[in-house]
Amino acid sequence: MKVEPGRAGEILEGTPLALEEPFPFVCAGCGDCCRERRDLVLSGYDLYRLARWLRLSPRTVAAAFCKSYLGEQTCLPTLCLTPNPHTGDCRFLEGGACQLHPARPLACALYPLGQRIDGATGAVEYIAQTPLCGAAAPGATLREYLQNAGVTDRAGVDARWAVECTRLSRLMQAHRDHPHFAPAARRAAKALYFQYTTREEFYPQFQQNMAQLWPVLDRLFA
Ligand code: SF4
Ligand code: SF4
């Protein structure tokens, strides 16, 4: 299972909610989940959406607003939004509001939910961080919340991303001491994050990138 971090990178434990279960939450707009925010890991789709919103290339956005590193356990190239250096808050929090709300990363759209994705099947589970912040929305279900937050529309891409990353992570972990590990990681970063134009949809490009990546990695690790 791949576990997306919650508010401060904590791993969520708990019983998954069913889609028709009550989820009586509505965001009160306090901005607390954007403060002291140093843990916001981006997927390739998150970066693409941000780049499209800002009308910049994914590489430019990453250079300007992200830190890149190699995941210690996953051995995967990873991007994390860097905070505002003066406040420590998310750099897109201005006047208590998110300046890129329609393009906000998945972790932000989900909050106060966390997400577990089965790396083999892509099956998704949602878990609530309790106590819930925000205000009460009696009668609301988890399905309605996910739809309203824009999570449902992107769930297929996010699941595919998790499945590919799980597979890729296994390969990279198995070759962490291989002499070609560094070029393989650079090639993977390109396929996962950078080789995209925002003039075209993300998913077909992602599929094409991964189809090209696997034979390259096979050759590097042969
Ligand atoms: S991207 Fe927007 S919603 Fe997410 S932490 Fe930053 S300000 Fe908050
Ligand atoms: S999700 Fe919760 S913490 Fe974040 S702004 Fe809304 S009410 Fe505040």
Side-chain angles (χ1 to χ4, degrees), residues 27-201:
C27 175
C30 67
D32 280 357
C33 56
C34 313
R35 299 202 172 92
E36 289 295 317
R37 190 80 224 224
R38 300 165 194 277
D39 60 327
L40 234 172
V41 174
L42 302 182
S43 69
Y45 190 40
D46 286 330
L47 181 68
Y48 167 92
R49 285 163 51 89
L50 243 164
R52 192 172 56 182
W53 178 258
L54 296 169
R55 296 172 189 257
L56 297 169
S57 72
R59 217 178 257 286
T60 304
V61 172
F65 304 124
C66 300
K67 176 179 81 172
S68 64
Y69 58 96
L70 194 72
E72 206 173 305
Q73 292 178 358
T74 64
C75 289
L76 290 181
T78 306
L79 282 187
C80 182
L81 270 186
T82 51
N84 179 321
H86 304 293
T87 63
D89 299 341
C90 176
R91 59 169 71 243
F92 295 109
L93 181 68
E94 278 182 37
C98 175
Q99 297 307 300
L100 43 86
H101 188 75
R104 66 202 190 286
L106 176 65
C108 306
L110 279 171
Y111 193 83
L113 289 169
Q115 188 185 59
R116 282 200 297 244
I117 301 181
D118 187 303
T121 65
V124 184
E125 292 178 340
Y126 299 98
I127 294 155
Q129 303 195 63
T130 51
L132 288 178
C133 54
T141 63
L142 176 64
R143 184 188 298 279
E144 287 163 350
Y145 176 74
L146 295 173
Q147 276 166 352
N148 292 338
V151 174
T152 308
D153 286 346
R154 55 174 295 174
V157 176
D158 293 323
R160 197 64 229 161
W161 167 268
V163 169
E164 288 288 357
C165 285
T166 301
R167 196 173 151 219
L168 193 52
S169 172
R170 283 200 195 106
L171 183 77
M172 298 299 281
Q173 288 178 58
H175 294 87
R176 62 169 79 222
D177 297 321
H178 194 283
H180 291 153
F181 181 87
R186 281 197 295 275
R187 190 63 187 74
K190 199 171 156 188
L192 291 172
Y193 286 107
F194 303 127
Q195 196 165 271
Y196 296 91
T197 169
T198 55
R199 291 188 299 279
E200 294 171 22
E201 289 302 315

